[in-house]
Each structure stands twice: as structure tokens, then as C-alpha cells.
């Protein structure tokens, strides 16, 4: 049996899925048709219900729960992992205002955008673009500010950019919870017994990856935007942790909290008692 599977080419995702999609663990005959895409593209596809299994940002998941349910394995949560709002060096001190300033974001459906709205509700002039283009957009002046994610948090200072606000830190201070960045969702059209089997395999894939770390294999390097192995390891160590193996009660509580904030920001009236976020 074959399933379509989408995730990003970022090191944390290729680290998690490598053993599963490259048959380094026994998949019990299951095959996966892999599509590597930018997370916002995956978010948009999830809202359309395009793939059987997909990585997605949590705001996109909240919009696609009619089609998907969240697996317990494969998610990215943690402390000190959130997106960063930045500007050109010295630009924020000379202005000091966010309202009406242009802010490059890695997509409207991303957790980064939700955290920006949570921390700075007055920020409305947003410029969605691929996450890897944001640093250059700020450097060139195309955008006044930018919200960076992934490995860009390790490179921005060397490009003359400065941190204005750590949006993940703001979340942690206000909620005392880890930041839920993204998860793995599976189509509700797939039988629960099969979904549970795939969830178990994904957990084993994460365990296999950790058992061979700190080796960085060719699959991870080939798809990484940043080929420096030190940066790749920093990326993996930041975004892959115990929550990636299994969400656990704390991970689920953090996602439920984000769902509540998402509903408040978007003025949505959804009965939580009749809404199940997890498989």
C-alpha cells in the first residue's frame, strides 16, 4: 500500500523521515510517495486536502481538521525554538515602531505568522514569501522587518541583521509552555488502525535517527539549504526532541493552548468539547 507524504527539505524533517522513506526500518510493506516542499506550500495543500500524510504548521492544521487528524509522532515543539522578528542593523532603533511597517513572513498559514499576531496584534502590513527569501528582503529594503524560521536563525547576524523580538520567547513567557511549530497530520479517510500503524512507524523512524546521530547522512545534506554540517546539527538539535518521538501530555496541552489563541485571534466560535485535535 502506498501513501502520498509531504514534508519540507529542512534538516529536522529529513532527519525524522529518512529511516521511514528510505527503508532503514521495516515498514511492513508500506510505501510512501514523497513530496518535498516549502512548509507554506504544504500548508496550502493541507487546507485543500491534497496529500495522505503531511507536515504542516499548526494554524494550517486548525483550518484543515475536517480532512486531517494529528499524529502523536513527528511534531516540532520546544523551548527556544520560536521564530525571530528582525530588522536591518540599527533600523529598529531609528524607528522603533511596528505599526504600518512592512514585515516579511514565511506564509499566512504558518505558526510564525500566528505568533507574530499574538505578540504584536498591531502588525498588519505583512508580505508573505518563501522563508529562505526573507533575510534578503530585509537586507535589500523590500521589507522593513522579517520573521525568520528554520536555519536562518543561525545565519542572520552574519548578514548585518538584528533581533527585534524573539516571538517564541514571548509565547513561552505568556503561556509557560513549549512552542508548537508544526506537526504531522494524516487524512481522516485512512482507517484509524492504519493511521496508528503509520504513527508507530514514524516514532520508530525518529528513534532510528537518534540512534545514529551525530552522523549526518547524505539524504539530509542533499536537501539542506545550508550545507554546513555544524548548522545542520544545530538545526536538528533545536527542532527535534522528545516531542518529536511522542507529543505526550505537555505537547498536547501546548497545542490545545495554541488552538484557543488561534480561535481568539480569528474570532472563531468552535466548540472545543466536540473537537478532537489528536489521533
Amino acid at each position: 500500500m502506498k501513501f502520498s507524504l509531504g514534508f519540507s527539505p529542512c534538516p529536522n524533517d529529513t532527519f525524522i523521515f529518512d529511516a521511514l522513506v528510505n527503508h532503514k526500518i521495516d515498514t511492513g510493506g508500506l510505501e510512501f510517495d514523497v513530496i518535498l516542499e516549502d512548509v507554506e506550500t504544504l500548508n496550502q495543500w493541507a487546507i485543500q486536502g491534497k496529500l495522505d500524510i503531511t507536515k504542516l504548521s499548526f494554524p494550517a492544521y486548525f483550518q484543515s481538521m475536517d480532512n486531517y487528524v494529528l499524529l502523536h509522532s513527528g511534531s516540532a515543539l520546544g523551548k527556544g525554538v520560536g521564530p525571530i522578528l528582525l530588522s536591518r542593523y540599527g533600523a529598529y532603533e531609528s524607528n522603533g515602531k511596528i505599526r504600518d511597517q512592512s514585515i516579511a513572513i514565511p506564509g499566512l498559514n504558518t505558526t510564525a505568522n500566528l505568533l507574530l499576531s499574538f505578540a504584536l496584534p498591531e502588525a498588519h502590513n505583512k508580505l508573505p514569501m518563501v522563508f529562505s527569501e526573507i533575510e534578503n528582503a530585509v537586507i535589500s529594503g523590500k521589507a522593513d522587518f522579517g520573521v525568520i524560521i528554520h536555519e536562518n536563525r543561525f545565519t542572520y547576524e552574519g548578514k548585518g541583521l538584528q533581533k527585534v523580538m524573539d516571538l517564541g520567547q514571548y509565547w513561552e513567557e505568556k503561556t509557560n509552555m513549549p512552542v508548537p511549530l508544526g506537526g504531522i497530520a494524516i487524512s481522516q479517510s485512512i482507517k484509524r488502525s492504519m493511521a496508528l500503524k503509520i504513527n508507530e512507524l514514524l516514532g520508530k523512524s525518529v528513534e532510528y535517527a537518534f540512534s545514529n546521530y551525530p552522523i549526518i547522512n547524505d539524504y539530509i545534506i542533499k536537501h539542506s539549504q545550508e550545507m554546513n554540517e555544524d548548522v545542520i546539527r544545530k538545526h536538528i538539535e533545536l527542532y527535534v526532541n522528545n516531542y518529536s518521538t511522542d507529543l505526550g501530555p505537555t505537547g498536547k496541552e501546548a497545542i490545545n493552548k495554541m488552538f484557543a489563541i488561534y480561535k481568539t485571534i480569528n474570532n472563531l466560535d468552535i466548540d472545543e468539547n466536540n473537537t478532537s485535535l489528536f489521533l
Side-chain angles (χ1 to χ4, degrees), residues 12 23 101 115 171 190 218 227 229-230 255 258 277:
N12 61 305
H23 301 286
Q101 299 297 302
L115 292 175
W171 163 275
I190 295 171
D218 291 342
M227 294 301 176
E229 287 196 17
D230 288 337
I255 295 167
M258 180 165 279
L277 299 180

Side-chain angles (χ1 to χ4, degrees), residues 91-225:
Y92 182 63
E93 284 80 357
S94 65
N95 187 316
K97 296 180 180 179
I98 299 294
R99 183 184 294 275
D100 299 326
Q101 299 297 302
S102 59
I103 306 176
I105 61 170
L108 293 172
N109 302 299
T110 59
T111 303
N113 183 41
L114 178 62
L115 292 175
L116 175 64
S117 297
F118 178 54
L120 299 168
E122 71 274 19
H124 295 294
N125 187 7
K126 300 174 180 178
L127 303 176
M129 61 183 66
V130 177
F131 81 92
S132 56
E133 298 175 356
I134 290 175
E135 286 178 321
N136 287 335
V138 178
I139 291 168
S140 67
K142 182 179 178 180
D144 299 306
F145 297 90
V147 178
I148 58 167
I149 57 175
H150 299 324
E151 58 261 40
N152 295 121
R153 68 181 293 127
F154 305 117
T155 61
Y156 72 90
E157 289 180 306
K159 297 181 180 180
L161 299 171
Q162 67 175 1
K163 179 171 66 176
V164 174
M165 185 178 190
D166 186 322
L167 301 175
Q169 182 179 348
Y170 181 86
W171 163 275
E172 292 173 38
E173 291 172 351
K174 295 298 181 181
T175 67
N176 196 32
M177 294 181 185
V179 183
L181 297 174
I184 310 300
I186 189 167
S187 173
Q188 295 203 33
S189 66
I190 295 171
K191 290 183 179 179
R192 177 175 171 80
S193 58
M194 178 59 70
L196 288 168
K197 180 178 180 179
I198 292 170
N199 180 80
E200 181 182 2
L201 289 174
L202 184 51
K204 289 181 178 179
S205 186
V206 178
E207 291 171 353
Y208 180 95
F210 275 130
S211 71
N212 289 276
Y213 192 74
I215 295 173
I216 304 297
N217 63 46
D218 291 342
Y219 185 72
I220 298 170
I221 293 173
K222 178 175 69 172
H223 296 294
S224 176
Q225 293 269 345

Side-chain angles (χ1 to χ4, degrees), residues 204-276:
K204 289 181 178 179
S205 186
V206 178
E207 291 171 353
Y208 180 95
F210 275 130
S211 71
N212 289 276
Y213 192 74
I215 295 173
I216 304 297
N217 63 46
D218 291 342
Y219 185 72
I220 298 170
I221 293 173
K222 178 175 69 172
H223 296 294
S224 176
Q225 293 269 345
E226 174 55 67
M227 294 301 176
N228 184 302
E229 287 196 17
D230 288 337
V231 173
I232 291 174
R233 286 192 181 88
K234 288 179 181 178
H235 186 111
I236 291 169
E237 290 166 7
L238 189 66
Y239 295 113
V240 188
N241 51 38
N242 58 301
Y243 298 115
S244 305
T245 305
D246 187 272
L247 285 170
T250 303
K252 291 179 181 179
E253 183 182 6
I255 295 167
N256 279 322
K257 180 64 175 179
M258 180 165 279
F259 185 41
I261 290 172
Y262 171 83
K263 291 189 297 180
T264 299
I265 289 174
N266 292 282
N267 297 311
L268 298 177
D269 184 16
I270 301 174
D271 185 358
E272 291 187 25
N273 293 324
N274 294 321
T275 303
S276 177

